[in-house]
Amino acid sequence: MAAPTILAFGSAEMQQRYLRPLFACTEIWCQLFSEPGAGSDLAGVATRAVPDGDEWVVDGQKVWTSGAHNADFAILPARTDTSVPKHAGMTYFVVDMTDPGVEVRPLRQITGEAEFNEVFLSGVRVHDRNRVGAVGEGWKVATTTLNNERVAIGAGNDREAGQIGLVTERWRTDPSVRTPGTHTELMRWWVETEVTRLAGERLRQGLEAGQPGPESSAMKLAFAQQAQQVSGFALELAPEEGLTYHDWTMVRPEGGSFLGHGPGYRYLRAKGNSIEGGTSEIMRNVIAERVLGLPPDHRPDKGIAFKDVPR
Ligand SMILES: Cc1cc2nc3c(=O)[nH]c(=O)nc-3n(C[C@H](O)[C@H](O)[C@H](O)COP(=O)(O)OP(=O)(O)OC[C@H]3O[C@@H](n4cnc5c(N)ncnc54)[C@H](O)[C@@H]3O)c2cc1C
């Protein structure tokens, strides 16, 4: 998500410095977007960046930051002008997560793990050369990140990768789960996930010609629905395993894969799929407005300076 954004908006110096280690995973990144008062309404971020010579001083709080505890760098949209409407007053930065002003605290989730964090930014200094895009254009830059995130979450798997592969394998190897009813359900999910996978593949190939557009939201929406339904179906095939749970110890997972976990874990973790990277309701709004051209959602703060919007 950071790499295509830096590729599209970062300076040549920034691309030279960050892209290769990011691609090679020798430097880990996280996404400092959501805040206690700005999740779905991301353009409402209140974390502020104030210029000070060649640097910016950043103060604020972020939340739900996956992997912040392992991250070397972060992408951060921050408020740089409160006198204009919210979308116009943001600027996008790269932040060094080892700065002494960055404090990371774990947040425990329904699986028992703490995959994400709250992050407090207190007087964090960011050099102006780590600004991505022009001052005030942070929303445009952030949209590029979000569209890429939705492709990353929803697309690019091999056939039978993920949840559907696990239940199909169970079907193949365990005759006790085979009934006409489960057969019908398995076939339905197999076909739906395969159609979504192929649509995602087409979207990915289109990326070679440029940045993804709002149609990535449809991919992410379909992926989340299917992950939740298929993980529920997996519990139906293995109810006794679903009722037990491997471990409730709070752990800090290093990677994002659920494949090594049992069906109970996968069922619980899939709940987050319709929230992370934008909720399913917001995906439907994006599809309605930006793909189908339907009338926009109600926006009471439209055209009002950020400082005048009640918070
Ligand atoms: C597993 C996981 C990992 C995450 N990782 C990160 C991360 O690394 N970095 C990061 O920045 N964030 C991360 N997030 C946060 C995620 O992006 C937000 O949770 C999400 O955008 C929703 O914001 P919110 O939680 O503030 O909910 P809210 O925006 O408060 O929404 C609450 C409810 O209201 C609904 N709603 C809100 N506005 C509308 C509307 N206009 N129309 C219809 N319904 C609406 C929502 O759909 C939702 O059901 C992660 C979340 C999860 C679950």
Side-chain angles (χ1 to χ4, degrees):
M1 288 141 48
T5 310
I6 291 172
L7 203 55
F9 292 98
S11 63
E13 182 191 359
M14 199 178 264
Q15 293 174 1
Q16 186 68 29
R17 164 64 188 86
Y18 293 121
L19 290 182
R20 184 172 289 276
L22 203 163
F23 181 72
C25 297
T26 53
E27 286 172 349
I28 303 300
W29 288 57
C30 67
Q31 180 193 28
L32 292 174
F33 276 36
S34 306
E35 296 184 1
S40 299
D41 183 20
L42 179 64
V45 293
T47 291
R48 61 190 186 280
V50 177
D52 181 21
D54 286 346
E55 295 182 323
W56 296 81
V57 182
V58 178
D59 286 278
Q61 183 193 345
K62 297 287 173 175
V63 72
W64 319 126
T65 316
S66 304
H69 49 290
N70 290 325
D72 304 297
F73 295 100
I75 42 178
L76 168 91
R79 179 84 31 212
T80 47
D81 186 355
T82 59
S83 68
V84 292
K86 60 183 180 182
H87 291 94
M90 294 162 67
T91 305
Y92 195 113
F93 300 96
V94 169
V95 173
D96 181 348
M97 289 293 285
T98 64
D99 186 288
V102 178
E103 186 192 348
V104 177
R105 297 186 198 161
L107 282 172
R108 203 171 177 196
Q109 63 211 58
I110 194 171
T111 54
E113 302 173 315
E115 198 179 326
F116 46 34
N117 306 270
E118 25 180 27
V119 178
F120 295 85
L121 306 160
S122 311
V124 175
R125 303 195 77 86
V126 180
H127 198 278
D128 191 55
R129 64 173 167 262
N130 278 329
R131 173 170 45 80
V132 187
V135 174
E137 297 216 335
W139 178 250
K140 188 164 92 180
V141 185
T143 304
T144 299
T145 307
L146 293 175
N147 286 338
N148 278 286
E149 177 175 22
R150 286 159 196 169
V151 178
I153 292 177
N157 282 327
D158 293 332
R159 177 176 289 173
E160 287 189 17
Q163 308 264 13
I164 192 66
L166 295 169
V167 287
T168 309
E169 190 54 26
R170 178 86 190 226
W171 176 271
R172 289 194 182 105
T173 55
D174 182 357
S176 73
V177 301
R178 294 183 204 149
T179 68
T182 52
H183 184 250
T184 304
E185 197 163 350
L186 177 69
M187 285 302 97
R188 181 152 67 94
W189 293 122
W190 197 96
V191 170
E192 288 207 16
T193 52
E194 184 61 6
V195 169
T196 304
R197 185 185 76 80
L198 291 171
E201 193 52 41
R202 191 177 57 179
L203 198 62
R204 281 217 159 212
Q205 287 175 7
L207 287 186
E208 287 173 22
Q211 291 290 334
E215 54 297 332
S216 58
S217 296
M219 179 60 42
K220 202 264 163 182
L221 175 66
F223 162 79
Q225 284 173 337
Q226 288 160 11
Q228 291 176 354
Q229 297 286 348
V230 175
S231 63
F233 178 51
L235 281 195
E236 283 177 41
L237 296 185
E240 69 295 344
E241 290 166 45
L243 289 172
T244 55
Y245 201 77
H246 62 295
D247 189 4
W248 281 104
T249 318
M250 186 183 101
V251 289
R252 302 286 256 163
E254 294 293 317
S257 177
F258 55 83
L259 292 174
H261 295 273
Y265 173 95
R266 297 200 305 272
Y267 178 75
L268 294 176
R269 180 59 187 82
K271 297 297 171 201
N273 293 152
S274 55
I275 306 173
E276 60 196 326
T279 68
S280 290
E281 290 76 24
I282 296 304
M283 296 304 103
R284 290 191 187 93
N285 279 352
V286 173
I287 295 164
E289 293 177 29
R290 299 188 40 220
V291 180
L292 304 180
L294 299 180
D297 197 17
H298 178 55
R299 294 197 172 88
D301 55 0
K302 193 172 180 187
I304 302 176
F306 184 77
K307 63 181 169 46
D308 297 328
V309 176
R311 293 176 52 76

